[in-house]
Amino acid sequence: MIQVLHISAECYPAAKTGGLADVVGSLPKYFTDAGMLSAAIIPKYSLKWIHSRDWVTVYSGSVWVNWRERRFSVQQEAGNTLGYPLFVVDIPGLYDRPGIYNDPSGAPYSDEVERYITFQQAVLDWLLSFPWQERPRVLHCHDHHTALIPWMVKYCPAYQQLAPIPTVFTIHNGQYQGAFSWTNGHLLPPYEAAARWVLDWNGAVNPMAAAIKTAWAVTTVSETYLYELHQNSLGLEQLFRDEWRKEWGIINGIDAAVWDPAVDPMIQHRLENDDIQQFKAKNKQALCEWFGFPADAPLISYIGRMVGEKGVDLLPDTYRRFIYSGTKACFLVLGTGEPWTQNQFRAMAHQFPGRFNAVIDYNEALSHQIYAGSDFLIMPSRVEPCGLNQMYAMRYGTIPIVRSIGGLKDTVPDIGEPDGQGRGIRFDQFSMDDAVYALHRAISMWHSEPDVVAALRRRIMAVDFSWEQTIGKYRKVYRSIGAHIDPVLEPAAEKTGPAPASRKAAKPTEKPAKKAVLTEKTAAKPAKKPAETEKSATPIPPAAQKEKTKKLPAKTRPAAAPAPKKTGPKSDSRKKT
Ligand code: GLC
């Protein structure tokens, strides 16, 4: 039986454009481990991973949308290879397309409202077919693509049988609310007259607002982001304030089985014998060779979508300032997004070989290598509900440089803070001056205080970002809405496959960081000579040379400098969360 059903537009590895997929892909696994049997359901897109699997049809039905009957089937991945049941809804004509949100040119699909409404109705139609005792105990909806479900079960006669099931709505990104004009109102299933005002926000249908009003509990992915939504959420501030009683901020975890430096198949050199120094040096060497960087300079990377929300437009000028001033530091970016930023980066890669390089692509495997081989990861986000990249970076010993907002603030205390438990470098204002100062602190520290860098790496690699803590909080949320989910699996290993074991292996050995004083003062010292330790680690011993010939799959290896060309329409970046 499914106790918690996660309903989403993305789920890694089946369909991913960003963090939403990572989270929805790991939550069911970790929930199930913790005894709450969970499954996920997403639309069936025409994507590689989905094509590569076998699917078993578990339900066929139809729903009426836009005055026509849409046939669909719900299919389950045969073999449950993810450690939990993954279902897809096959809706011919609506989702059998190569993009998740956008067509190959990058434009959002023009029928997106119809697509989301049909998917949500199809999920509910399927759930109606369950005998009532076997219906999920919680419907857990993620982001605006599934935000109408709490409203539908409450106000649409066709689905009201499901109304007793508690609903939870998780906001991964409040910037995208899914609002559409009332001229599309006819796409909605028939609803009680009074429910119109529940849907409406500022004269439009606003699914996110409807979910905040009707879900039994609303969560977002960090405490600070919840606070920020009360201050600024594109018009929903008052609604968030009114509904504060049912709101929770719960920081995401990361899938420690996927992000494990000791076993990660996507990196060139794995962590062996807890030798962090070797691990970092060898992986950096690989990156430096690919991108034409010197190894005796700090490597600062950016990974992610190149969109305003992520603040990436701050980087070109900030980097130029360092490059023009002759500072010894290298910069690498990986991602796709807005044309302006992509073009800036392409031009800079030609202009500053050996200092700057860019891969304009979505490349999961290369991202792992960059986390493993970089010294720093910068995240200058304007908005960051949780942010996973800083956690991946820390797991691989890469020091985060982040703006003090949302989940970045909650996960990256600054090394200058008095309690001596800093994990990275933070800056407050979204301005070039602040970003430059933060980078300057990082670069100076790298050049003049290798011991501090080494101690910091050790400390951040030992932080436990796994899901265990988070799961307990979700359990509390479920309890608060009367969904008591009793553990049914003891132990969970059978159902969840290899996850628990590998996660255990993945747990870092908590070693106290070497005593080093990480203060603002030490971090901000002016650059001196490059660190000896980093230099001496550069040559690769014969054993590693051999391993090095085990090249990454062709897709992983980036073209060397100058900037490789955009490889294709993978920029499903616009509507993601
Ligand atoms: C979205 C947010 C990101 C968050 C992720 C998973 O992508 O932008 O901050 O980490 O969702 O919740």
Side-chain angles (χ1 to χ4, degrees), residues 19-20 23 172-173 221 252 309-310 384-388 576-577:
L20 169 65
V23 171
H172 297 261
N173 192 336
V221 287
N252 289 325
E309 205 184 311
K310 299 290 171 194
E384 197 60 81
C386 173
L388 300 170
K576 75 134 315 283
T577 54

Side-chain angles (χ1 to χ4, degrees), residues 255-302:
D255 192 333
V258 173
W259 296 93
D260 182 352
V263 298
D264 188 338
M266 294 190 233
I267 57 179
Q268 295 279 289
H269 302 281
R270 291 178 204 111
L271 179 66
E272 280 167 16
N273 309 322
D274 210 17
D275 190 342
I276 294 173
Q277 153 76 13
Q278 281 279 315
F279 167 75
K280 293 300 292 178
K282 287 183 186 173
N283 281 304
K284 181 173 176 183
Q285 162 117 7
L287 278 183
C288 289
E289 277 172 15
W290 294 349
F291 292 103
F293 292 140
D296 64 348
L299 175 56
I300 298 158
S301 300
Y302 171 86

Side-chain angles (χ1 to χ4, degrees), residues 44 50 53-60 73-80 85-90 126:
K44 188 172 189 185
I50 294 181
R53 302 286 136 161
D54 291 330
W55 300 93
V56 181
T57 300
V58 293
Y59 178 74
S60 297
S73 62
V74 177
Q75 304 169 3
Q76 181 174 359
E77 193 229 340
N80 284 353
L86 172 67
F87 297 93
V88 290
V89 187
D90 186 19
W126 172 54

Side-chain angles (χ1 to χ4, degrees), residues 332-361:
L332 178 63
V333 298
L334 166 69
T336 58
E338 284 159 5
W340 181 86
T341 320
Q342 294 187 167
N343 291 340
Q344 289 275 320
F345 286 146
R346 282 203 186 98
M348 286 173 69
H350 283 282
Q351 211 179 347
F352 309 116
R355 280 280 171 267
F356 178 89
N357 216 326
V359 180
I360 308 298
D361 189 12

